[in-house]
Amino acid sequence: MDPTAAPGSGGTPGDSDATSPTNTTVTLPPLTLRDVPRLASSSPAAAAAVPNPISRHPYFHPPANFYISPGDVSLRHAFFDLVSAAPSPLVAYRRGGPRRDLAVDPAAARAALVTCGGLCPGLNTVLRELVVGLQELYGVRHVFGVAAGYRGFYGADEDHVRLHPAAVDDWHKKGGTVLKTTRGGFDLGKIVDGIVARGYTQIYAIGGDGTMRGALAIFEEFKRRGLNISITGIPKTVDNDIGIIDRSFGFQTAVEVAQQAIDAAHVEAVSAVNGVGIVKLMGRSTGHIALHATLSSRDVDCCLIPEVDFYLEGKGGLFEFLYERIKKKGHAVVVVAEGAGQELIPRTDDQKREQDESGNTVFLDVGPWLKSELGRWWKREHPDELFTVKYIDPTYMIRAVPANASDNLYCTLLAHSAIHGVMAGFTGFVPGPINGTYSYIPLEDVAVAKNPVDVNDHKWAWVRSVTNQPDFLKSQA
Ligand SMILES: Nc1ncnc2c1ncn2[C@@H]1O[C@H](COP(=O)(O)OP(=O)(O)O)[C@@H](O)[C@H]1O
Ligand SMILES: O=P(O)(O)OC[C@H]1O[C@](O)(COP(=O)(O)O)[C@@H](O)[C@@H]1O
Ligand SMILES: [Mg+2]
């Protein structure tokens, strides 16, 4: 793009030699609003019939700018290069938050909350805040917890527990999910039948990428059957592998807890002669936890993630690098994400086919494999030199903990954002922060949006500059 040729341009929007600030007018590409679906009854007339009960709150009096206006949007990309190319069209989402008028009558609402997939710090905080927000902000009296994931919708009566603020008061202090969670069991027909049979009018499905795909299928089935029930997917993933949103809750807590494992690996390594400490961290298809834990720790010599291929032996390989590092400073620490190097680990045909109940590929354990391969290599290549390798697997310890303060705050805002959207009549959406602004994103978009580590981005470059690890380009081998 030639910026000077852009209509309305008042100058060159690149760097200039000016010694004082200048104003440059630039014409941006058109903006596309990726709007979220609405319940059929949420016509402007119906909406105007139900003023937000927060306006009548006995103690809190909403200030002038409290309510989100119907025109408020947030931009998907907060920054772009005006000189080379701005994204075209610019994508916007509806801003999350309370609306002045509701499309849903709180007195007639019946909400169901469900948690699916793996654990993540903060699940109980989201549940707590959904219960408290629904009842205390909006006066929704019928709130139920559905036990053990999607299968709970077609389970027994005991699988549907009535929830109220006093019952959930201290849930934010607990790890895991009080409602229990499972994988698999996604029988669409039975789930929707179960929802209809119990008269639920709003569903809050808290889970990861699989849960979002399930929520989308439920949303489509509601539409097919002409049901005026709303569904919102609340994104949970300790791996941070859901796209569009800034990050998922629980992720920062997991990174924080991972520091203890890295510290221990470091102590073991420095206390041995030619010591190596290996830590395996979660990250099935994305290496965000490993990357962030490496950057925060500074004790890590090599970070292995699923997005970057590596090899073990030969010039430019992992083992030669570790040997050199040990020669230089006496020890080395390796952080490996669970999904890294999967294609290097020998496996049987049965192992290749193995899936969990949700259909996710079952990975082989990269940690013990790496440990034994390194031990074997050292014995073969350097038989006369002492060597110790210690392996630490804190996998479940980093996710089976309560959320830290910042994740608890995030969970609270996320839950309230979900409720505000549902009460405004939105459905088939995911609430989440985009560039710090809570927004509503169509489930359709989130269900397919992955969030791999961008290895061409600054963050991976920081890792490389902190660890000075090889880039594992085969040409060097
Ligand atoms: N493509 C899909 N369509 C419908 N339901 C799905 C799909 N993928 C996963 N699910 C269901 O979503 C739930 C959670 O999925 P899972 O992959 O275990 O965890 P997560 O949501 O954390 O990724 C399970 O009940 C699973 O059966
Ligand atoms: O042993 P489980 O419960 O299947 O969980 C292991 C998996 O859970 C994860 O944390 C991902 O879980 P989700 O897909 O539920 O977010 C992965 O890191 C890991 O592979
Ligand atoms: Mg998943």
Side-chain angles (χ1 to χ4, degrees):
M1 172 172 107
D2 173 2
T4 52
S9 168
T12 305
D15 290 337
S16 83
D17 295 334
T19 52
S20 55
T22 56
N23 295 328
T24 304
T25 305
V26 177
T27 303
L28 291 176
L31 187 131
T32 294
L33 173 63
R34 282 292 293 160
D35 209 353
V36 287
R38 289 156 197 265
L39 289 178
S41 61
S42 61
S43 67
V50 189
N52 196 319
I54 299 174
S55 300
R56 303 191 311 269
H57 198 279
Y59 308 116
F60 170 67
H61 304 289
N65 293 329
F66 178 72
Y67 292 114
I68 301 297
S69 103
D72 270 354
V73 296
S74 64
L75 284 185
R76 174 157 185 186
H77 294 102
F79 59 88
F80 38 80
D81 185 347
L82 291 176
V83 175
S84 56
S88 181
L90 293 174
V91 173
Y93 297 104
R94 284 211 181 271
R95 237 184 104 193
R99 267 55 181 175
R100 190 176 296 280
D101 297 310
L102 308 186
V104 168
D105 179 4
R110 218 174 147 80
L113 325 181
V114 66
T115 51
C116 313
L119 293 186
C120 183
L123 277 167
N124 281 324
T125 311
V126 172
L127 291 170
R128 180 195 191 276
E129 292 306 322
L130 285 172
V131 175
V132 172
L134 278 164
Q135 302 210 3
E136 294 188 347
L137 291 178
Y138 284 96
V140 175
R141 285 178 300 117
H142 307 291
V143 183
F144 292 83
V146 178
Y150 280 133
R151 65 183 81 229
F153 279 114
Y154 54 90
D157 278 351
E158 309 84 74
D159 288 344
H160 301 251
V161 187
R162 191 177 274 277
L163 298 172
H164 49 85
V168 301
D169 189 47
D170 64 349
W171 283 18
H172 60 297
K173 297 179 183 168
K174 300 173 196 274
T177 162
V178 177
L179 293 184
K180 296 187 186 297
T181 182
T182 56
R183 298 191 188 273
F186 191 82
D187 186 323
L188 182 59
K190 284 193 198 169
I191 290 168
V192 176
D193 289 350
I195 289 170
V196 172
R198 287 169 200 282
Y200 293 137
T201 61
Q202 38 187 264
I203 310 296
Y204 297 86
I206 309 156
D209 54 340
T211 307
M212 297 302 128
R213 290 192 290 272
L216 181 61
I218 294 171
F219 167 67
E220 297 292 348
E221 184 64 9
F222 285 167
K223 275 200 301 189
R224 199 185 66 76
R225 295 196 195 182
L227 297 169
N228 217 21
I229 303 171
S230 66
I231 181 158
T232 176
I234 302 189
K236 164 250 46 153
T237 150
V238 75
D239 294 353
N240 198 29
D241 57 3
I242 290 186
I244 307 177
I245 60 172
D246 294 346
R247 67 178 160 83
S248 45
F249 69 81
F251 172 70
Q252 286 192 333
T253 304
V255 169
E256 198 172 300
V257 179
Q259 299 303 307
Q260 295 167 19
I262 297 173
D263 283 349
H266 183 241
V267 168
E268 291 287 345
V270 294
S271 306
V273 177
N274 298 330
V276 172
I278 300 176
V279 177
K280 184 187 74 177
L281 295 174
M282 279 194 166
R284 173 185 281 281
S285 54
T286 60
H288 293 287
I289 298 178
L291 184 160
H292 283 250
T294 296
L295 282 177
S296 357
S297 155
R298 304 287 169 145
D299 283 334
V300 180
D301 294 281
C302 189
C303 173
L304 303 170
I305 60 172
E307 292 86 346
V308 177
D309 290 340
F310 65 95
Y311 55 95
L312 301 183
E313 298 189 22
K315 190 167 163 43
L318 178 66
F319 293 166
E320 277 210 3
F321 162 73
L322 291 177
Y323 184 77
E324 281 161 24
R325 190 56 61 93
I326 288 167
K327 288 296 114 189
K328 196 167 154 198
K329 59 181 221 186
H331 68 276
V333 174
V334 177
V335 162
V336 59
E338 64 176 318
Q342 286 296 314
E343 68 295 343
L344 298 177
I345 312 174
R347 67 186 71 206
T348 63
D349 286 345
D350 278 353
Q351 284 173 327
K352 280 182 198 157
R353 281 189 292 269
E354 210 184 338
Q355 293 187 331
D356 71 14
E357 285 163 297
S358 291
N360 303 305
T361 304
V362 172
F363 284 166
L364 295 182
D365 204 334
V366 63
W369 169 78
L370 206 51
K371 178 185 174 188
S372 79
E373 291 295 311
L374 177 59
R376 219 190 332 258
W377 177 85
W378 191 286
K379 219 174 194 165
R380 193 184 71 220
E381 299 293 322
H382 307 284
D384 301 328
E385 293 182 63
L386 281 175
F387 175 65
T388 298
V389 54
K390 293 286 193 283
Y391 170 56
I392 297 178
D393 179 354
T395 299
Y396 294 107
M397 290 179 66
I398 68 168
R399 72 173 200 187
V401 291
N404 67 12
S406 99
D407 274 325
N408 260 335
L409 173 58
Y410 176 7
C411 291
T412 303
L413 297 176
L414 189 64
H416 287 204
S417 189
I419 300 171
H420 294 315
V422 169
M423 300 310 284
F426 300 135
T427 182
F429 76 97
V430 170
I434 300 181
N435 306 308
T437 299
Y438 281 81
S439 312
Y440 297 146
I441 312 156
L443 253 174
E444 197 178 295
D445 294 10
V446 176
V448 295
K450 300 192 182 316
N451 188 32
V453 169
D454 180 354
V455 293
N456 297 313
D457 190 11
H458 294 251
K459 253 191 227 154
W460 186 244
W462 289 339
V463 168
R464 301 277 322 285
S465 67
V466 165
T467 60
N468 283 313
Q469 67 189 65
D471 53 14
F472 300 113
L473 293 177
K474 278 277 183 202
S475 56
Q476 295 181 4

